[in-house]
Amino acid sequence: MARDPPTGCSFTSLKQPKINMESFWFRCSKLKSTLHSGWVAVRKVNFAPRIPVNGSFSSRSLAYMHASTRYIKQVSGLLKIGVTSMCNNGSPSYEAVQETYSCLLRLKSSSEEDAVRMQAGSGETHVFFPDSIGDDLIIEVQDSKGQYYGRVVAQLATITDEPSDKLRWWSIYHEPEHELVGRIQLYINYSTIVDENSHLKCGSVAETVAYDLVLEVAMKVQRFQQRHLLLHGPWKWLVTEFASYYGVSDAYTKLRY
């Protein structure tokens, strides 16, 4: 999940990294101790020029120059040791705590109790069975504390339009403000059962198509054939009542019969 969709498939946080304050203050204390020790060591360096007794001005100047050179060398050595120690111990920074997110996934046609919890970035998979082409996949995103962060509505109709495009980025909105708070990448593999009635597995069924199914069942149960061309009893009543209730015309029923 990310604020903006990256070019690859990397996983980044929706929010800024949190600071581990305990680690931060430990590093600050360590840096302060290192600087204090270095300052104490620098203060202990003696600046003592060896001035000859009754020496001339030039000899005194030369003595001060030699003393300054020794002082600079000693201080430079202490600074080099201090810098090396700080580099080995790590720079004064903080540890970033990566925010983790979980998702509750369910179909619009199912109840909230049927929601499946999945961890973002874990690669977990789950199989859903939508009722119709108008169904939606609803993803509720929660932070590490279980607080609501936003939700995604992946429309099944959009997925079936381009079934080859399995890996997509979907926008996460915080409701009811409908504020865009991030994006989530989903890999959705949509498939249907391929048979003679595959067009009936998903989508609205017309009354005439439903009537055809009822009539076919009645014919099979009563062994409808060349020597037996009449429906009778409860099955005849069922077919007639079905056509009357759903408004299937007499002309259509006679044609199908």
Side-chain angles (χ1 to χ4, degrees):
M1 293 190 294
R3 277 282 183 183
D4 297 310
T7 56
C9 299
S10 60
F11 176 81
T12 55
S13 175
L14 289 172
K15 296 180 180 179
Q16 294 296 327
K18 295 181 179 180
I19 297 177
N20 189 328
M21 296 305 297
E22 182 178 355
S23 174
F24 175 74
W25 289 117
F26 173 77
R27 290 178 178 273
C28 287
S29 177
K30 199 169 184 179
L31 174 62
K32 183 179 179 180
S33 176
T34 302
L35 294 176
H36 177 73
S37 300
W39 174 245
V40 171
V42 170
R43 292 183 61 183
K44 289 182 178 180
V45 176
N46 294 323
F47 180 76
R50 300 173 183 175
I51 303 175
V53 181
N54 298 325
S56 63
F57 176 77
S58 58
S59 60
R60 291 184 179 183
S61 298
L62 185 61
Y64 273 100
M65 185 178 66
H66 289 314
S68 299
T69 302
R70 289 193 301 271
Y71 180 80
I72 292 175
K73 285 183 178 180
Q74 294 181 25
V75 172
S76 298
L78 291 174
L79 290 177
K80 184 177 181 180
I81 294 173
V83 170
T84 303
S85 177
M86 289 176 60
C87 291
N88 292 334
N89 293 332
S91 58
S93 59
Y94 62 87
E95 292 183 6
V97 180
Q98 183 74 36
E99 179 66 280
T100 58
Y101 296 89
S102 61
C103 302
L104 290 175
L105 294 88
R106 68 176 179 89
L107 293 172
K108 184 179 66 175
S109 58
S110 62
S111 61
E112 295 184 358
E113 289 76 14
D114 297 331
V116 179
R117 181 175 296 276
M118 302 175 71
Q119 194 69 31
S122 64
E124 297 174 324
T125 60
H126 187 79
V127 179
F128 293 95
F129 298 96
D131 282 351
S132 66
I133 200 69
D135 214 343
D136 298 330
L137 179 63
I138 300 176
I139 303 103
E140 181 178 308
V141 182
Q142 298 179 350
D143 59 17
S144 57
K145 297 181 180 179
Q147 299 296 321
Y148 169 78
Y149 188 81
R151 79 173 198 162
V152 180
V153 178
Q155 298 178 343
L156 185 60
T158 304
I159 298 172
T160 56
D161 286 343
E162 299 180 7
S164 59
D165 187 11
K166 297 180 175 62
L167 192 63
R168 304 188 197 180
W169 285 93
W170 300 83
S171 299
I172 304 175
Y173 291 97
H174 189 280
E175 305 295 350
E177 300 86 0
H178 199 65
E179 176 189 0
L180 178 63
V181 294
R183 290 178 175 85
I184 184 172
Q185 191 177 52
L186 300 176
Y187 180 88
I188 302 177
N189 185 19
Y190 175 80
S191 61
T192 56
I193 299 175
V194 180
D195 58 18
E196 58 181 3
N197 294 321
S198 62
H199 62 287
L200 303 176
K201 299 298 181 182
C202 191
S204 300
V205 179
E207 291 80 357
T208 53
V209 177
Y211 177 82
D212 291 347
L213 292 175
V214 176
L215 180 61
E216 181 182 358
V217 171
M219 292 167 64
K220 287 183 178 180
V221 170
Q222 296 200 340
R223 301 181 184 277
F224 196 93
Q225 52 181 313
Q226 290 181 353
R227 296 182 180 274
H228 181 65
L229 300 175
L230 294 177
L231 294 177
H232 58 86
W235 287 102
K236 173 65 175 177
W237 174 87
L238 176 64
V239 171
T240 303
E241 288 296 317
F242 188 94
S244 174
Y245 183 83
Y246 287 102
V248 181
S249 66
D250 292 339
Y252 183 85
T253 58
K254 291 179 181 179
L255 178 63
R256 301 307 292 172
Y257 183 78

